[in-house]
Amino acid sequence: MTRYFFIVVHQVHELWFKIILSVRHCLQGWLAGMPFDGAAGPGAADRFLHAYMEKWRNESRRRLQAAIDRAPALEERLKSKFASECAQTEAFLLAEDDPLASALTRRERRSARAAMVFIESYREQLPHCMWAWQLLESTIEVEQAMLVWRQRHARMVERMIGRRPGTGGSSGVDYLDQTALRYRVFSDLWTVRSLLLRPSGLPDLEAFADHGVSAEEMSP
């Protein structure tokens, strides 16, 4: 009975993974086509990203100076950390964090990530962004449930076979624990949460409102 339960669990996981990869593809395609200043595509996304990154740098400089004022002896270390954070943030937002990706893939990722930041940042100012934010939030909830399921699966395996090597030659429970935390399908949605600015520090919305972003334009 236990062996059959193992088989069912793994088959369900494989089926879920195939479905969720398809969902990710559709979601990224929709986000990549979201209009900003009345137009969709890489150009509009790039204009927003550059404006956003400038504000992000300003906020980071403010936090850096505040940290230096509190701990002057750590100035060099703090500056090094600041430079590293800036480089990582820009690489992520501009989709330059994967050197093996094609130019087309990077362009689509850049547009999709810009849309994620825009929706997360302006959902209060633009009411028609709220349903898009709810969609992203629901997506994260689904993956969160999957992460919890994978962690519970690891505990079930540990309960059944202890910490012996897995049947596929892996390290068993240790491998399951690592993958449950490390691998996420919608990793961009999680990463964006670390890059959000305070409402007062966001780029002026009027710069993207000349033509308006209508609810119809945002519809998938």
Side-chain angles (χ1 to χ4, degrees):
M1 183 66 180
T2 301
R3 182 167 64 89
Y4 290 122
F5 181 64
F6 262 59
I7 293 173
V8 170
V9 167
H10 285 85
Q11 287 181 336
V12 168
H13 183 272
E14 290 177 5
L15 178 60
W16 155 263
F17 199 67
K18 290 178 181 178
I19 293 174
I20 209 67
L21 285 177
S22 177
V23 172
R24 183 182 68 174
H25 177 74
C26 294
L27 182 64
Q28 181 165 304
W30 170 67
L31 287 168
M34 197 193 95
F36 291 90
D37 53 356
D46 287 347
R47 286 191 293 274
F48 169 70
L49 281 179
H50 286 297
Y52 189 87
M53 285 191 295
E54 182 59 32
K55 293 291 187 178
W56 191 91
R57 292 189 200 99
N58 292 340
E59 175 64 17
S60 294
R61 292 189 191 100
R62 185 192 66 79
R63 291 189 289 106
L64 171 63
Q65 189 57 54
I68 292 175
D69 291 342
R70 290 193 299 269
L74 301 177
E75 180 174 354
E76 292 305 317
R77 184 184 302 178
L78 291 169
K79 286 183 176 179
S80 176
K81 182 180 179 181
F82 165 78
S84 177
E85 286 181 354
C86 284
Q88 291 177 9
T89 297
E90 292 188 15
F92 173 79
L93 291 177
L94 297 178
E96 296 174 351
D97 51 336
D98 182 4
L100 299 180
S102 66
L104 180 62
T105 297
R106 289 198 300 271
R107 186 161 59 247
E108 184 178 69
R109 285 178 183 170
R110 186 164 63 248
S111 296
R113 290 171 181 179
M116 293 176 197
V117 174
F118 187 89
I119 292 169
E120 291 280 358
S121 300
Y122 296 105
R123 67 180 187 273
E124 298 294 340
Q125 295 97 315
L126 296 174
H128 48 261
C129 278
M130 182 56 72
W131 75 265
W133 175 79
Q134 290 173 342
L135 174 62
L136 300 185
E137 188 72 5
S138 296
T139 302
I140 286 184
E141 287 180 2
V142 169
E143 182 155 53
Q144 180 178 328
M146 185 61 182
L147 291 171
V148 171
W149 180 86
R150 292 171 74 179
Q151 290 169 342
R152 288 178 176 173
H153 173 56
R155 301 287 70 77
M156 182 270 293
V157 171
E158 184 177 13
R159 179 179 177 181
M160 301 302 295
I161 67 172
R163 290 191 170 269
R164 287 178 290 179
T167 55
S170 70
S171 57
V173 172
D174 289 338
Y175 169 77
L176 293 175
D177 282 336
Q178 292 173 12
T179 56
L181 296 175
R182 182 183 305 171
Y183 299 112
R184 301 186 182 187
V185 177
F186 301 100
S187 57
D188 285 0
L189 290 176
W190 296 89
T191 301
V192 161
R193 299 295 174 93
S194 302
L195 309 179
L196 299 179
L197 295 170
R198 298 174 299 169
S200 60
L202 292 170
D204 189 355
L205 191 57
E206 291 183 2
F208 309 101
D210 292 340
H211 304 285
V213 182
S214 69
E216 290 76 14
E217 287 177 311
M218 293 182 63
S219 298

